[in-house]
């Protein structure tokens, strides 16, 4: 850790990433945080009804009543320097618990943990995941540079190296820094790790990119669209399975696409419930500007082998260097963006996948092509259903899917849908550049 000048009593912040996908928290002096001592900080139930616009949904199930605690997970502390920041960023991922320490029904991190526990106890499988983020940088005064170009990478220098250094110090495994297709758009990929840690790392990544950009006088944004006709910023969630000994169980060379029975049923479960799931994974009004055909973002319930229009894509096996295909084999969930809470997004994927495993659902057919060129019977035979095209539709679809609703305490569902309906009201009907800019400033 770099020592810094100035009079600073370092703070550690207990954080939670809420239904709005916003990371909030409270700080204490780092000296007073002693791992293992179960220190907690106060929290308020109605906070979960906060819209991205900072107004609390009205009505909401909580009102002014009640108290909760933020319980830090000592194993999920991230403490590291960010170029240009006066003090280290020191955050501990925390669960929201009742005053007696039991998990609160709306805590997204507990939701994910419970889903992973059920997956493990019912199937013996451990979920491994990696979040891949796209974002844009504004205000840097750059020249326009071609897509994917060295110019775009070098112009941003030393943003990339500074970002990688911070993430490495934080204990993350950043892999590839990419100048993306869009204007001033970048992407960073991370190595896979156990699923709860992957969601925690997504939070760390987003906040590090934001802080590093701010420190340079720039503004970064993960919003799914920063202009109505511009390129989309996706969050692609890669997943695979391991057994209790860490051996990969996603790959089976004998099966279509190389997908093992376990993974195929998991995928089938996700596809079955996908139209409802996107209310959580693509959760803002402008998310639906991104989820359109021919945007490489996914817009159908579509299982594809190496096709970037698919909602669930089998990622390619790199055979250069003769690495073991089973180790690297993974599947990517594409209809997600950074307006979503990573824990909630991954949690609903796990719940849906587990339903598929319980029902022993067969592998969905693989498709590559353009669904627009198929007749409705062909689409149906291939399981290709168009995803909801607005957030309002996605919320209605969610409430019609009794299986998805059953994963939540009714009050938690009421909190989520009530907050989203209020967000829709505050956002208004326009899905234009001004709306995208508004979201770009929040996310
Ligand atoms: N930007 C695209 C999206 O919105 C993804 C492009 C890619 O495949 O990397 O998801
Ligand atoms: Mg990309």
């Amino acid at each position: 850790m770099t020592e810094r000048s100035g009079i600073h009593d370092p703070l550690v912040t207990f954080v939670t990433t809420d239904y709005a996908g916003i990371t909030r928290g409270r700080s204490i002096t780092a000296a007073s945080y002693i791992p293992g001592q179960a220190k907690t900080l106060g929290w308020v139930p109605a906070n979960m009804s906060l819209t991205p616009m900072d107004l609390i949904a009205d009505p909401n199930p909580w009102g002014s009543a009640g108290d909760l605690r933020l319980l830090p997970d000592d194993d999920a502390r991230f403490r590291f320097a960010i170029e240009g920041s006066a003090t280290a960023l020191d955050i501990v991922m925390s669960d929201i618990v009742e005053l007696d320490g039991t998990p609160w029904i709306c805590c997204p991190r507990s939701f994910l943990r419970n889903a992973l526990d059920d997956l493990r106890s019912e199937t013996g499988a451990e979920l491994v995941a990696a979040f891949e983020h796209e974002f844009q940088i504004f205000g840097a005064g750059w020249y326009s540079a071609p897509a994917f170009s060295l110019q775009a990478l070098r112009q941003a220098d030393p943003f990339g190296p500074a970002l990688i250094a911070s993430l490495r110090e934080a204990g993350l495994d950043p892999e590839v820094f990419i100048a993306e297709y869009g204007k001033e758009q970048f992407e960073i990929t991370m190595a896979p790790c156990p699923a709860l840690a992957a969601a925690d790392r997504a939070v760390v990544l987003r906040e590090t990119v934001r802080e590093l950009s701010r420190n340079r006088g720039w503004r970064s944004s993960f919003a799914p669209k920063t202009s109505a006709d511009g390129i989309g910023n996706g969050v692609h969630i890669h997943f695979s399975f391991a057994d209790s000994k860490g051996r990969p169980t996603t790959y089976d060379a004998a099966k279509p696409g190389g997908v093992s029975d376990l993974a195929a049923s998991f995928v089938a479960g996700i596809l079955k419930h996908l139209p409802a799931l996107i209310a959580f994974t693509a959760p803002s009004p402008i998310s639906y500007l991104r989820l359109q055909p021919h945007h490489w973002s996914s817009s159908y319930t579509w299982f594809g082998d190496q096709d970037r229009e698919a909602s669930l894509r089998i990622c390619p096996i790199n055979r250069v260097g003769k690495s073991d295909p089973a180790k690297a084999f993974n599947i990517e969930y594409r209809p997600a963006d950074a307006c979503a809470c990573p824990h909630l997004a991954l949690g609903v994927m796990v719940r849906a996948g587990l339903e598929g495993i319980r029902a022993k659902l067969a592998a969905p057919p693989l498709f590559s092509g353009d669904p627009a060129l198929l007749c409705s019977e062909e689409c149906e035979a291939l399981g290709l259903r168009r995803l909801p095209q607005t957030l309002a539709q996605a919320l209605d679809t969610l409430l019609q899917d009794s299986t998805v609703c059953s994963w939540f305490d009714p009050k938690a569902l009421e909190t989520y849908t009530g907050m989203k309906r209020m967000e829709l009201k505050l956002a208004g009907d326009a899905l234009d550049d001004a709306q995208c800019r508004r979201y770009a400033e929040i996310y």
Side-chain angles (χ1 to χ4, degrees):
M1 179 68 47
T2 318
E3 286 301 323
R4 292 163 194 287
S5 59
I7 304 168
H8 300 128
D9 200 341
L11 299 179
V12 56
T13 308
F14 295 3
V15 296
T16 176
T17 303
D18 67 8
Y19 281 174
I22 292 175
T23 302
R24 309 181 204 266
R26 294 182 177 182
S27 305
I28 53 169
T29 62
S32 65
Y33 171 62
I34 298 159
Q37 284 204 349
K39 191 176 180 74
T40 59
L41 295 175
W43 204 244
V44 178
N47 287 3
M48 198 56 99
S49 293
L50 265 167
T51 61
M53 293 82 174
D54 283 345
L55 278 174
I56 295 181
D58 182 22
N60 72 70
W62 310 104
S64 54
D67 281 285
L68 300 161
R69 306 297 292 178
L70 290 177
L71 174 66
D73 178 346
D74 296 336
D75 296 330
R77 182 180 186 181
F78 300 87
R79 186 161 167 261
F80 57 101
I82 298 179
E83 192 177 77
S85 295
T87 64
L89 178 60
D90 189 355
I91 52 178
V92 196
M93 301 297 150
S94 305
D95 294 347
I96 309 175
V97 297
E98 301 279 359
L99 298 183
D100 65 2
T102 52
W104 185 44
I105 51 166
C106 293
C107 172
R109 201 165 179 269
S110 308
F111 180 79
L112 173 58
R113 189 190 290 103
N114 291 340
L116 293 167
D117 286 350
D118 286 353
L119 177 72
R120 183 182 307 110
S121 67
E122 291 180 38
T123 70
E126 297 287 342
L127 191 76
V128 176
F131 284 68
E132 179 183 307
H133 284 90
E134 293 171 335
F135 59 94
Q136 282 163 287
I137 289 180
F138 299 102
W142 287 329
Y143 296 100
S144 67
F148 313 121
S149 70
L150 180 61
Q151 288 181 55
L153 281 171
R154 290 303 296 166
Q155 179 158 251
D157 193 67
F159 182 85
L163 176 61
I164 301 272
S166 285
L167 297 178
R168 283 169 56 87
E169 191 187 341
L172 277 59
D173 284 322
E175 285 192 323
V176 188
F177 182 63
I178 299 166
E180 252 286 0
Y181 179 61
K183 193 169 150 45
E184 301 176 345
Q185 187 188 36
F186 297 88
E187 172 176 322
I188 180 126
T189 67
M190 288 191 279
C193 66
L196 183 63
D200 290 345
R201 289 175 178 200
V203 172
V204 173
L205 179 278
R206 292 175 195 181
E207 296 305 323
T208 307
V209 167
R210 289 180 180 129
E211 185 160 329
L212 186 59
S213 306
R214 263 193 326 266
N215 291 349
R216 307 179 79 81
W218 308 341
R219 171 133 217 156
S220 52
S221 180
F222 293 85
K225 282 272 189 168
T226 58
S227 65
D229 296 326
I231 209 75
N233 292 307
V235 173
H236 303 157
I237 307 175
H238 294 253
F239 61 90
S240 59
F241 303 90
D243 66 15
S244 60
K245 298 213 164 65
R247 289 176 301 221
T249 54
T250 322
Y251 185 65
D252 183 340
K255 295 284 156 70
V259 181
S260 68
D261 288 342
L262 171 91
S265 294
F266 191 89
V267 162
I270 292 182
L271 281 188
K272 182 170 175 192
H273 297 290
L274 188 60
L277 299 194
I278 59 166
F280 297 104
T281 66
S284 78
I286 62 162
S287 298
Y288 295 82
L289 290 172
R290 175 178 162 259
L291 295 189
Q292 293 189 55
H294 313 137
H295 279 54
W296 291 24
S297 60
S298 95
S299 47
Y300 286 82
T301 54
W302 172 344
F303 187 36
D305 194 357
Q306 299 176 40
D307 190 319
R308 288 174 183 76
E309 282 281 305
S311 41
L312 284 165
R313 180 177 86 112
I314 302 174
C315 294
I317 296 174
N318 172 14
R319 301 201 185 269
V320 182
K322 293 205 182 80
S323 55
D324 175 5
K327 266 195 192 147
F329 192 70
N330 72 90
I331 296 160
E332 175 188 46
Y333 178 100
R334 294 174 69 86
D337 64 59
C339 297
C341 166
H343 301 87
L344 188 58
L346 195 48
V348 294
M349 286 167 57
V350 176
R351 282 278 166 225
L354 184 54
E355 298 284 352
I357 294 174
R358 284 177 186 150
K360 298 190 174 56
L361 295 184
L366 285 163
F367 174 71
S368 185
D370 187 349
L373 303 176
L374 303 178
C375 66
S376 52
E377 288 78 28
E378 285 169 318
C379 281
E380 207 183 309
L382 289 158
L384 294 165
R385 284 174 289 154
R386 181 75 171 91
L387 296 177
Q389 293 176 47
T390 63
L391 176 58
Q393 272 178 22
L395 291 169
D396 289 344
T397 308
L398 159 64
L399 293 174
Q400 283 155 19
D401 189 327
S402 55
T403 305
V404 176
C405 292
S406 74
W407 305 333
F408 293 88
D409 183 283
K411 248 181 158 179
L413 197 62
E414 187 188 336
T415 303
Y416 187 79
T417 54
M419 186 275 281
K420 284 290 153 192
R421 296 230 187 264
M422 179 80 176
E423 179 181 341
L424 275 171
K425 205 148 94 188
L426 293 169
D429 291 333
L431 290 176
D432 53 10
D433 285 348
Q435 186 79 276
C436 293
R437 274 200 300 277
R438 188 180 191 188
Y439 273 88
E441 282 179 15
I442 302 169
Y443 293 98

